[in-house]
Amino acid sequence: MSKNEIPYKIYLEESEMPKSWYNLRADMKNKPAPLLHPGTHQPLKLEELTPIFCEELAKQELDDKTPYIEIPEDIRNFYKMYRPSPLVRAYCLEQQLGTPAKIYYKFEGNNTSGSHKLNSAIAQAYYAKKQGLKGVTTETGAGQWGTALSMACSYFGLDCQVYMVKVSYEQKPFRREVMRTYGAKVTPSPSNTTKVGRAILEQFPGTTGSLGCAISEAVEAATSQEGYRYVLGSVLAQVLLHQSVIGLETMTALDKYGVKPDMIIGCAGGGSNLGGLIAPFMGRKLRGEADYQIIAVEPASCPSFTRGIYAYDFCDTGHVCPLAKMYTLGSEFIPSANHAGGLRYHGLSSVLSQLYDDKLMEARSVEQTSVFKAAEQFARIEGILPAPESAHAIRVAIDEALKCKETGEEKTIVFGLTGTGYFDLVAYQKFNDGEMNDYIPTDADLKKGFDTIPRFPGNLE
Amino acid sequence: MSKNEIPYKIYLEESEMPKSWYNLRADMKNKPAPLLHPGTHQPLKLEELTPIFCEELAKQELDDKTPYIEIPEDIRNFYKMYRPSPLVRAYCLEQQLGTPAKIYYKFEGNNTSGSHKLNSAIAQAYYAKKQGLKGVTTETGAGQWGTALSMACSYFGLDCQVYMVKVSYEQKPFRREVMRTYGAKVTPSPSNTTKVGRAILEQFPGTTGSLGCAISEAVEAATSQEGYRYVLGSVLAQVLLHQSVIGLETMTALDKYGVKPDMIIGCAGGGSNLGGLIAPFMGRKLRGEADYQIIAVEPASCPSFTRGIYAYDFCDTGHVCPLAKMYTLGSEFIPSANHAGGLRYHGLSSVLSQLYDDKLMEARSVEQTSVFKAAEQFARIEGILPAPESAHAIRVAIDEALKCKETGEEKTIVFGLTGTGYFDLVAYQKFNDGEMNDYIPTDADLKKGFDTIPRFPGNLE
C-alpha cells in the first residue's frame, strides 16, 4: 500500500503493539516536582508511599529515570482484548468542514469501560494481584475510571470498592450497574462510611461531591482495611506511564504511513489521556527530534491550566494524600453544578504542569454548550457519540481545522477521542432540550479555591 | 504469520472488505415463499410494494436469483467508518471454561448504534436518498434499529420518524436521546398519532406495545405523508441481504487463517443478524462445498422456531403489511412483560423459516436468567458487556463448549455477538438485584396467538 492511501481506520497488528510503556519523565530536563509529605513537606520516600499504594506502582511513581518499562505479559494479553485501538482518519468531518487540514483521532472508546481508563486500570489491578492483595479502593467522577477498574479487578479476581462522586452517581445510575455487573461495590461520595466523608458532610451538607473528596474517602477505606491499597485513575505519574500506550500506538501508526502531525490535541482533567497521548511525541520534542504544537483543552468551568496557580497543593479535599506541585484551583474548588461532564478535578498532573510551565505545551478552555455542539456535529458525521470529556478536544480540533480553511494551511491535526458518551445521555438530553448553559467561575469564585492552597516556605510564601 | 498464530482479534484490511452483498436466496433450491397481498392472497408485484418501500429496496426484496449485488460506493465508505468489525478469538473464555473447543465471535457492537443494525440502516437510507425522498418511518423494539436508522439518516440528511415499542421507550429513555441527538423524532407505540395506534389503544388499553403494532403505525405514517417510505430493520429478505456483510467478513477472516468452523450460532428475533452471519456459510452448504451445524437461538418467552407454526401470517398487528410465510406465534402474540431484551418479534424471516423447515439449520430456546448468567460470565472474562439479545448466542456457545469439554472434541464454534448492553442496564440491574425471573408461555398462551393467524385456502385450511 502506498503511503498516500490512508485507510479510514489504521489498526496495528498485534505484533506492532508496544511491549514497553514510555516514561516521559526520563527525557524531561526539568523533572516534575516530587510528591511531598503533607506533614513534613519533605519528598516522599518509597516506604511512605507503600502503605497507600501497591509497591510496584509506588516504584513507578518515583522513577523519573528509566525511559522504557516493560509491560508484563498478562497485561499485554489483556490489552489484546480491546487494543490496538484504531487511529481514525476523519475523512467525513474534513469533507463537511471543507478544510484542507487532515484530521486524525485516536479512539479509545471501543471497550466496555467506554474510555482509555482501562489502560491503567488493568496495570494497577495486575500489580495489586501480584502483591497478593485482597482488593483495591478508588474514587470515580464521571464513572469511567470506576468502570474500568471494576473490569480489571473482575479479570484478576480482586475486590473492588468505588467511591463515586455523588452528582455523577445520581446522573449516571447505569454506570453503577455496569460496575455491579463486574462485581464492584459502589458508594456515593461523600458518604457516612468514612470519617473524612462524615466530616465533609457535616461541613458542607447537601454537597454534590467532588473528586478530591471521593479520593479522601477511598484512601481512608484502603488504609483502614487489611490487604487493601488505594489506586487512582489520573494525575499520578504512574497513570501517565501506563497511558503512554495510547501515544505509542498513535506514533507507530502515523510513522507507518509517513504522517507527521503538526498539532496534537487532548482534553485535560487530571491529565491521564493527554499525558498518555502526547508522551512519545513530547519525548521527540524534548530530544530535539521533531516539533509539535501540543494543546491541552479544559472546561471553562474548571480551568486549572488557564486560570490556576502553579504550586504545591493537596490532591484531595480531606488532605490525607501527599502534596503535589501542579496547576491547581485549590483542593476545595468544586465546579458549578451545571457542569455536565468529567474533567472536574481541581489540579493537573505534575508532569504536565511542569511541561506547561516550561512552555512546551499550550492550553485552551472551552465552554460546555460549544463542546456539546461539537459533540453533536461529530456524532452525526463521524458516527461516534463522544463522551463530553472527549468533545473538548473535538471542539478545538474543529476550530483549528476551520482556521486552516481560512489560511489554506494543510495542517495535520491529531486528537484524542478518549471515550463514548453512552452514559452521558442525561447531559445530552439537557443539550437536546436547549436547557444547557455555561458558567465561568468569577475571579472571586477562584479566589475562594486559591485560599485553600497550603502556604509554607517555598510555596506561595 | 503462520496459520496457527491466530491473534485475539482478526481485523481485515479495508481492501478485503466485501464489495458485494451475498443474496442467499439465489442458492436456495426451495425458495422462500413470496410475500402475499393481504387482500387478494396473490404474490405481491413490484408496483404494489413501491408505495410502501423504496423502489430499489423493493427490487432487492423480490430478487431471489442474483447471487451478488454490488454495494454502492457511498455505503462502502460509510462501512469503513465502523467496519470491518473484529472477529475475536475468545481465548480468555476458552481458558476459563477449560474447553478444547475453539471459540470465535464476530463482534458488531463497536459503533454508536451498538449493534449490527447499522449495516442495513445505511443501505436503506442510501436508497431512500437516491430516490429523492424527504424521509423514512420505522419501528424499533429494543431501540437498536431506531438508533442505527437515525445515524444513517443524519448522515444523508433525511428526516427520520421512529415508532418505539412503549415498554422499551420507558425502559430505555437514553436510546431516545441518542436518536434525538441524531435528529430523529421518536414516538412511543402504540400512540394516538395514527389511526391504527388509536384502534389498538382502544382494544388493548394499557398495552406495553409490540413490534407488530409499531410496524403498523410506521407504515401508516409513511403512506400518509408525501415523500416518505417505510423501512424495516429485520425479517425482510433485503435486510438479510445487507447483513450478509457480517458473514462475508467472517468467512474471509476464517479462510485467511485456514479455520473451518464446525458450528455457527446466532440469536434470532426477526432474523437479521442470524441471516447475515450464516449467509455465505449456508451458501457453501447449499452448494455442497462444506457442511456446518447452524443453530438459531431464541428466547423461551418468544419461541417462534421451536414452538411456532409455519404458515402465512400478518407481519404487523394492524394487518396493513403484506403476508409473509414464516414460523410464527401469531401477529397478536406479545411476550410476557418480564421479558427484558429484544428478540420479541412474533415471526421469523421467510428465508430462515424455509431453511429451518428444510432442516438445514436447528433452533434452541433459552430462558432469560440463564442468558443473563452467560452475559455476566462473558462480560467479566472477555471484557465486553453484551446486549441481552447477543447473550442468547453466548449461552448456547458456552453450553456447546462445555459439551466439548466432556467429550474432548476440539470443535470450532463461531457465534455472532450482535451488540453491546450499554442501554440495557435496567435489565442488568434486575438481574444484579436477583429480581429477574423466567416466563415460558403455556400452550394455552400460544394458542391465543395461533388463533390470530389468517386461515385461507392453502394456509392452515
Side-chain angles (χ1 to χ4, degrees):
Chain A
M1 185 181 284
S2 116
K3 283 195 173 170
N4 291 323
E5 284 170 20
I6 293 173
Y8 277 63
K9 297 192 278 11
I10 305 176
Y11 279 109
L12 300 178
E13 302 287 332
E14 276 181 8
S15 57
E16 296 170 308
M17 287 172 68
K19 291 182 183 57
S20 299
W21 293 301
Y22 169 60
N23 184 5
L24 176 58
R25 289 168 293 168
D27 281 313
M28 287 171 70
K29 202 174 137 190
N30 298 328
K31 302 286 183 198
L35 296 172
L36 297 187
H37 189 287
T40 66
H41 299 160
Q42 292 303 306
L44 278 165
K45 300 195 190 77
L46 183 64
E47 60 272 25
E48 292 168 315
L49 283 170
T50 50
I52 301 176
F53 299 109
C54 301
E55 184 147 346
E56 193 63 32
L57 293 166
K59 283 183 191 161
Q60 291 178 356
E61 193 61 34
L62 296 177
D63 183 351
D64 60 10
K65 305 253 172 341
T66 315
Y68 289 94
I69 293 175
E70 198 186 328
I71 307 174
E73 197 185 348
D74 279 355
I75 300 175
R76 281 195 282 137
N77 283 340
F78 188 90
Y79 279 169
K80 286 179 193 168
M81 289 208 296
Y82 70 100
R83 308 197 67 82
S85 71
L87 180 69
V88 186
R89 174 74 184 269
Y91 283 117
C92 297
L93 179 62
E94 288 172 19
Q95 194 182 4
Q96 187 188 59
L97 297 174
T99 177
K102 292 170 184 65
I103 308 174
Y104 293 82
Y105 54 92
K106 180 70 168 169
F107 180 42
E108 293 287 321
N110 272 351
N111 70 74
T112 284
S113 82
S115 82
H116 66 292
K117 295 285 185 184
L118 198 51
N119 301 329
S120 184
I122 191 64
Q124 298 195 42
Y126 169 82
Y127 291 117
K129 183 72 181 179
K130 206 180 153 201
Q131 193 175 329
L133 298 177
K134 285 185 207 157
V136 292
T137 71
T138 199
E139 80 297 330
T140 197
Q144 294 174 333
W145 167 247
T147 311
L149 190 69
S150 70
M151 290 175 68
C153 286
S154 104
Y155 186 78
F156 285 123
L158 283 167
D159 186 37
C160 180
Q161 301 176 0
V162 181
Y163 288 85
M164 186 169 186
V165 177
K166 194 179 272 174
V167 61
S168 295
Y169 185 90
E170 285 162 4
Q171 282 192 355
K172 299 178 183 188
F174 291 173
R175 284 269 191 211
R176 180 191 68 220
E177 290 308 319
V178 180
M179 292 187 246
R180 285 182 72 207
T181 300
Y182 282 93
K185 184 181 156 203
V186 190
T187 308
S189 168
S191 76
N192 55 20
T193 67
T194 63
K195 269 187 251 172
V196 64
R198 288 190 291 272
I200 290 166
L201 280 172
E202 199 163 305
Q203 202 184 344
F204 307 99
T207 175
T208 54
S210 71
L211 266 185
C213 164
I215 292 173
S216 300
E217 291 205 83
V219 170
E220 183 182 322
T223 50
S224 59
Q225 292 176 92
E226 181 72 27
Y228 281 75
R229 290 294 184 282
Y230 166 69
V231 297
L232 180 64
S234 190
V235 183
L236 294 176
Q238 60 187 267
V239 178
L240 271 68
L241 173 71
H242 307 145
Q243 294 296 356
S244 70
V245 69
I246 304 172
L248 291 165
E249 281 186 10
T250 304
M251 180 173 267
T252 303
L254 290 172
D255 284 355
K256 194 170 168 180
Y257 287 89
V259 176
K260 190 208 159 283
D262 297 295
M263 188 181 286
I264 301 166
I265 301 167
C267 61
S272 69
N273 153 68
L274 183 69
L277 173 66
I278 69 171
F281 298 97
M282 185 62 87
R284 281 188 179 168
K285 186 166 170 162
L286 289 167
R287 296 190 304 269
E289 297 163 10
D291 196 18
Y292 311 96
Q293 187 181 4
I294 295 175
I295 305 174
V297 189
E298 59 187 15
S301 52
C302 192
S304 316
F305 264 160
T306 50
R307 297 175 70 195
I309 290 176
Y310 189 36
Y312 269 105
D313 194 9
F314 301 107
C315 291
D316 62 322
T317 317
H319 303 177
V320 300
C321 284
L323 298 176
K325 190 171 180 190
M326 52 188 181
Y327 277 84
T328 180
L329 300 167
S331 61
E332 285 176 20
F333 177 84
I334 296 180
S336 151
N338 83 339
H339 174 78
L343 310 180
R344 52 175 67 242
Y345 188 62
H346 66 277
L348 256 153
S349 146
S350 293
V351 177
L352 295 178
S353 291
Q354 184 62 49
L355 294 167
Y356 181 64
D357 201 55
D358 288 340
K359 308 215 174 346
L360 289 159
M361 53 187 287
E362 331 167 5
R364 308 258 171 94
S365 75
V366 289
E367 298 181 25
Q368 74 174 353
T369 50
S370 78
V371 165
F372 275 82
K373 266 178 214 155
E376 184 190 81
Q377 181 179 5
F378 182 82
R380 291 186 179 189
I381 197 70
E382 286 288 319
I384 298 168
L385 188 81
E389 297 81 17
S390 323
H392 286 71
I394 298 174
R395 174 74 275 158
V396 171
I398 290 177
D399 291 346
E400 290 294 327
L402 289 174
K403 280 187 208 162
C404 288
K405 186 179 178 176
E406 281 186 22
T407 62
E409 289 173 288
E410 294 185 23
K411 285 188 183 171
T412 295
I413 300 170
V414 174
F415 71 89
L417 189 73
T418 55
T420 50
Y422 308 150
F423 294 92
D424 299 284
L425 272 307
V426 169
Y428 272 98
Q429 178 169 2
K430 244 189 185 169
F431 177 73
N432 292 335
D433 290 340
E435 286 168 7
M436 179 170 279
N437 47 45
D438 297 316
Y439 182 78
I440 303 180
T442 63
D443 288 342
D445 292 333
L446 292 184
K447 187 173 178 303
K448 276 187 224 160
F450 294 152
D451 287 346
T452 66
I453 300 174
R455 267 73 178 167
F456 56 86
N459 200 56
L460 305 183
E461 238 184 33
Chain B
M1 185 180 284
S2 117
K3 283 196 172 169
N4 291 323
E5 285 171 20
I6 292 173
Y8 278 63
K9 296 192 278 13
I10 306 176
Y11 278 109
L12 300 179
E13 302 288 331
E14 276 180 10
S15 57
E16 296 170 308
M17 288 172 66
K19 292 180 181 58
S20 300
W21 293 303
Y22 170 60
N23 185 5
L24 176 58
R25 291 168 291 169
D27 281 313
M28 288 170 69
K29 202 173 137 190
N30 297 329
K31 302 288 182 196
L35 296 173
L36 297 188
H37 190 286
T40 65
H41 300 158
Q42 293 302 306
L44 277 165
K45 299 195 190 77
L46 182 64
E47 61 270 26
E48 292 168 316
L49 284 169
T50 50
I52 301 176
F53 299 110
C54 301
E55 184 146 346
E56 193 63 32
L57 293 166
K59 283 182 190 163
Q60 291 178 355
E61 193 61 34
L62 296 178
D63 183 351
D64 60 9
K65 306 251 173 338
T66 315
Y68 288 95
I69 293 175
E70 198 186 327
I71 307 174
E73 197 185 348
D74 279 355
I75 299 176
R76 281 196 281 137
N77 283 340
F78 188 90
Y79 278 169
K80 287 179 192 169
M81 290 208 296
Y82 71 100
R83 308 198 67 81
S85 71
L87 180 69
V88 186
R89 174 74 184 270
Y91 283 117
C92 298
L93 179 63
E94 288 172 20
Q95 194 182 4
Q96 189 188 59
L97 297 174
T99 177
K102 293 169 184 64
I103 308 175
Y104 293 83
Y105 54 92
K106 180 69 169 170
F107 180 42
E108 292 288 321
N110 272 350
N111 71 74
T112 285
S113 83
S115 83
H116 66 293
K117 295 286 184 183
L118 199 51
N119 301 329
S120 184
I122 192 62
Q124 298 195 43
Y126 169 82
Y127 291 117
K129 184 71 180 180
K130 206 180 153 201
Q131 192 175 330
L133 297 176
K134 284 184 207 158
V136 292
T137 71
T138 199
E139 81 297 331
T140 197
Q144 294 174 333
W145 166 247
T147 310
L149 190 68
S150 71
M151 289 175 68
C153 285
S154 104
Y155 186 76
F156 285 124
L158 282 167
D159 186 38
C160 180
Q161 300 176 359
V162 181
Y163 288 85
M164 186 170 186
V165 176
K166 195 180 271 174
V167 61
S168 295
Y169 185 90
E170 285 162 2
Q171 281 193 356
K172 299 178 182 187
F174 290 174
R175 284 267 194 214
R176 181 190 67 220
E177 290 309 319
V178 180
M179 292 188 246
R180 285 182 72 206
T181 300
Y182 282 93
K185 185 181 154 200
V186 190
T187 308
S189 168
S191 75
N192 55 19
T193 68
T194 63
K195 269 186 250 172
V196 64
R198 288 190 291 272
I200 291 167
L201 280 172
E202 199 162 305
Q203 202 185 343
F204 307 100
T207 175
T208 55
S210 71
L211 266 185
C213 163
I215 292 174
S216 300
E217 291 205 83
V219 170
E220 183 182 322
T223 50
S224 60
Q225 294 175 90
E226 182 72 26
Y228 281 75
R229 290 294 184 282
Y230 166 70
V231 298
L232 180 65
S234 191
V235 182
L236 294 177
Q238 59 186 266
V239 178
L240 271 67
L241 174 72
H242 307 146
Q243 295 295 355
S244 68
V245 70
I246 305 172
L248 291 164
E249 281 186 10
T250 304
M251 180 172 267
T252 302
L254 290 171
D255 284 355
K256 193 169 167 179
Y257 286 89
V259 176
K260 192 207 158 284
D262 297 295
M263 187 180 286
I264 301 166
I265 301 168
C267 60
S272 69
N273 153 68
L274 182 68
L277 174 66
I278 68 171
F281 297 97
M282 184 61 85
R284 282 187 178 167
K285 187 166 170 161
L286 289 167
R287 297 189 303 269
E289 297 164 10
D291 196 18
Y292 311 97
Q293 186 180 4
I294 295 175
I295 305 174
V297 189
E298 58 186 17
S301 52
C302 192
S304 316
F305 264 159
T306 51
R307 296 176 71 197
I309 289 176
Y310 189 36
Y312 269 104
D313 194 10
F314 301 106
C315 290
D316 62 321
T317 317
H319 303 177
V320 300
C321 282
L323 298 176
K325 191 171 179 190
M326 51 189 182
Y327 276 85
T328 181
L329 300 166
S331 61
E332 285 177 20
F333 177 83
I334 296 180
S336 151
N338 83 339
H339 175 78
L343 310 180
R344 51 174 68 242
Y345 189 62
H346 66 277
L348 256 153
S349 148
S350 293
V351 176
L352 295 179
S353 290
Q354 183 63 48
L355 294 166
Y356 182 64
D357 201 57
D358 287 341
K359 309 217 174 343
L360 289 158
M361 52 187 285
E362 329 166 8
R364 309 258 171 94
S365 74
V366 289
E367 297 180 26
Q368 73 174 352
T369 50
S370 77
V371 165
F372 275 82
K373 267 178 212 155
E376 184 190 80
Q377 182 180 5
F378 182 83
R380 290 185 179 190
I381 197 69
E382 286 287 320
I384 297 169
L385 188 81
E389 296 81 16
S390 323
H392 286 71
I394 298 173
R395 175 72 276 159
V396 171
I398 290 177
D399 291 345
E400 290 294 327
L402 290 174
K403 280 186 209 162
C404 289
K405 186 178 179 176
E406 283 185 20
T407 62
E409 288 172 289
E410 295 186 24
K411 285 189 184 171
T412 296
I413 299 171
V414 174
F415 72 88
L417 189 72
T418 55
T420 51
Y422 308 150
F423 294 93
D424 299 285
L425 272 308
V426 169
Y428 273 98
Q429 180 170 1
K430 244 189 185 170
F431 177 73
N432 291 335
D433 290 342
E435 287 169 6
M436 179 170 280
N437 48 45
D438 297 315
Y439 182 77
I440 303 179
T442 63
D443 287 343
D445 292 333
L446 292 185
K447 188 175 176 303
K448 276 187 226 159
F450 294 153
D451 287 346
T452 67
I453 301 174
R455 267 69 178 169
F456 55 87
N459 201 56
L460 306 182
E461 238 183 35

